[in-house]
Amino acid sequence: SRTVEIVKYINEHLTEELSIDAIAEHFFISKYHMMRSFKADTGYTIGNYILQKRLTLSKELIQGGTPITEVCYLCGFKDYSNFSRQYKNLFHASPKETSRML
């Protein structure tokens, strides 16, 4: 299905700029149609899916010893405070707390 292709595309481009418009253009479909069908098929909005995948990747990188500020930008976040807040919301621990657990 198209959603499976979109998920695969997102997973392959997680560390790059990923906008709804760019994804829709890549698949030559209306962004509104794409967003509706993605949510219907996965239960996630595209934005939330990308965020979850990026945060999961960031946790793996931090646990692997990659410096936190590097992880922030590697995973497509533009500013550290947003990254830290989103990370803490999902994992109930800050990136620094995760790195100290190593």
Side-chain angles (χ1 to χ4, degrees):
S1 84
R2 181 61 54 90
T3 299
V4 171
E5 292 173 36
I6 293 169
V7 165
K8 186 172 187 248
Y9 179 82
I10 289 169
N11 291 339
E12 290 171 354
H13 297 88
L14 259 188
T15 59
E16 301 164 26
E17 182 72 31
L18 272 175
S19 70
I20 303 289
D21 289 332
I23 296 168
E25 282 176 29
H26 179 81
F27 288 99
F28 305 103
I29 55 177
S30 146
K31 72 178 182 178
Y32 302 105
H33 173 72
M34 178 184 72
M35 291 187 305
R36 273 194 308 276
S37 54
F38 190 92
K39 172 93 170 159
D41 291 345
T42 66
Y44 286 97
T45 65
I46 292 176
N48 279 345
Y49 180 79
I50 292 170
L51 179 63
Q52 297 278 325
K53 295 298 283 187
R54 284 180 168 169
L55 289 170
T56 301
L57 174 61
S58 70
K59 185 174 186 181
E60 291 168 9
L61 290 171
I62 290 168
Q63 289 173 331
T66 306
I68 295 168
T69 49
E70 194 178 321
V71 168
C72 172
Y73 299 107
L74 275 175
C75 293
F77 292 91
K78 306 258 179 309
D79 76 86
Y80 183 80
S81 63
N82 178 44
F83 164 65
S84 182
R85 187 175 58 253
Q86 298 285 356
Y87 188 98
K88 196 166 188 155
N89 282 344
L90 183 62
F91 298 118
H92 309 290
S94 72
K96 284 184 175 79
E97 289 168 333
T98 299
S99 72
R100 281 198 295 263
M101 288 181 219
L102 298 179

